Amino acid sequence: MPLYYISLAAGLIVAAGFLFSRSKGASIKNLFFKMASSLCFLLTAVCAVIVNPGASAYGVLIIMGGILGLCGDAALDLKFIYPKDNNEFLRSGFIFFAIGHIFFNAALIWFNRLKWWWVLICIAAAVIIAVINAFSGKMLKVDFGKYRNIVILYSSILAATAIISVLCAVVSASKAMIIFAVGAVLFLLSDVVLCFTYFGKGWDKPVHIFVNHLLYYAAQFLIASTILFIA
């Protein structure tokens, strides 16, 4: 147990340092700082599996999602460092995070033994939300442009994670699933801020970048921590 708490504390300290550093702008230095922060939530997940080996199958799926999240982190920061390749890095970031959330959803569905029709209903609701979001650009004052299709795909998977996790929290009432649901909702909120930052105007100030990353790392550490509470 102490190993888990040490890794969690170290991760929170590194992530806090990155939050203040990144709000000042993107750079190679901050990219490595960001990678260190992301590695910390992966380390937290690994330590949770060591402490709770009975959750290894669930834990592997969460760790795989975290690894893909780390790759997505790198891609999204590289788009600022190498603006000429902005399109490729942004699309890569969306893809990495989308696949990572597929692993998160797989962990939820497998652990809770969800009925297939429950999953389909959640996915259908997520797709509807994503489509409404993508075609509400004028009302929301955002312009997705050529990224609309990939935004719909990514938003559908992200919304599915939030909806499925809330369903699991309600059905199981377990501490792990409640924590996961909170993390998934924070992840969704983080990407709402990111959506306005990337595709809106006036949302790229240091405070917006800080809030985006604060919600994101809170979400990742909470999701990683659920491994500890899997019985």
Side-chain angles (χ1 to χ4, degrees):
M1 190 69 76
L3 181 64
Y4 163 78
Y5 286 113
I6 290 172
S7 66
L8 178 61
L12 292 176
I13 291 171
V14 173
F18 167 74
L19 287 174
F20 288 100
S21 179
R22 178 62 180 82
S23 63
K24 298 176 182 178
S27 65
I28 293 292
K29 171 191 170 184
N30 282 338
L31 173 61
F32 284 107
F33 208 163
K34 187 176 190 179
M35 292 300 94
S37 302
S38 298
L39 282 170
C40 284
F41 67 67
L42 282 176
L43 179 61
T44 299
V46 170
C47 289
V49 170
I50 293 172
V51 172
N52 186 17
S56 57
Y58 171 89
V60 166
L61 291 171
I62 297 299
I63 290 170
M64 286 301 299
I67 290 172
L68 286 156
L70 184 151
C71 295
D73 284 337
L76 292 182
D77 253 36
L78 284 170
K79 86 182 209 59
F80 293 108
I81 298 171
Y82 301 105
K84 289 183 179 180
D85 298 313
N86 170 74
N87 182 58
E88 289 75 13
F89 285 126
L90 182 55
R91 290 183 185 277
S92 296
F94 278 129
I95 292 170
F96 279 128
F97 276 113
I99 299 173
H101 275 271
I102 290 174
F103 278 100
F104 287 159
N105 281 312
L108 291 169
I109 294 167
W110 174 82
F111 176 71
N112 292 280
R113 302 292 191 272
L114 293 182
K115 296 177 181 179
W116 65 268
W117 54 272
W118 285 4
V119 177
L120 286 181
I121 291 173
C122 290
I123 292 174
V127 171
I128 292 171
I129 291 171
V131 170
I132 291 174
N133 171 67
F135 287 94
S136 300
K138 288 185 178 180
M139 183 178 68
L140 297 174
K141 296 183 180 180
V142 295
D143 181 13
F144 296 112
K146 60 185 177 182
Y147 300 107
R148 176 173 288 170
N149 289 339
I150 196 166
V151 166
I152 291 174
L153 174 63
Y154 174 64
S155 299
S156 297
I157 297 173
L158 182 63
T161 306
I163 295 170
I164 291 173
S165 65
V166 170
L167 172 64
C168 291
V170 172
V171 171
S172 70
S174 71
K175 183 182 291 186
M177 292 302 102
I178 292 172
I179 293 172
F180 199 120
V182 173
V185 171
L186 290 178
F187 210 125
L188 186 62
L189 292 175
S190 168
D191 272 42
V192 168
V193 176
L194 193 66
C195 170
F196 283 101
T197 300
Y198 284 172
F199 306 113
K201 293 182 179 180
W203 283 76
D204 55 353
K205 297 177 182 177
V207 64
H208 301 130
I209 296 170
F210 180 88
V211 170
N212 164 237
H213 285 95
L214 176 63
L215 293 170
Y216 170 70
Y217 279 109
Q220 289 285 39
F221 277 106
L222 284 172
I223 290 173
S225 297
T226 60
I227 300 169
L228 190 67
F229 302 101
I230 294 295

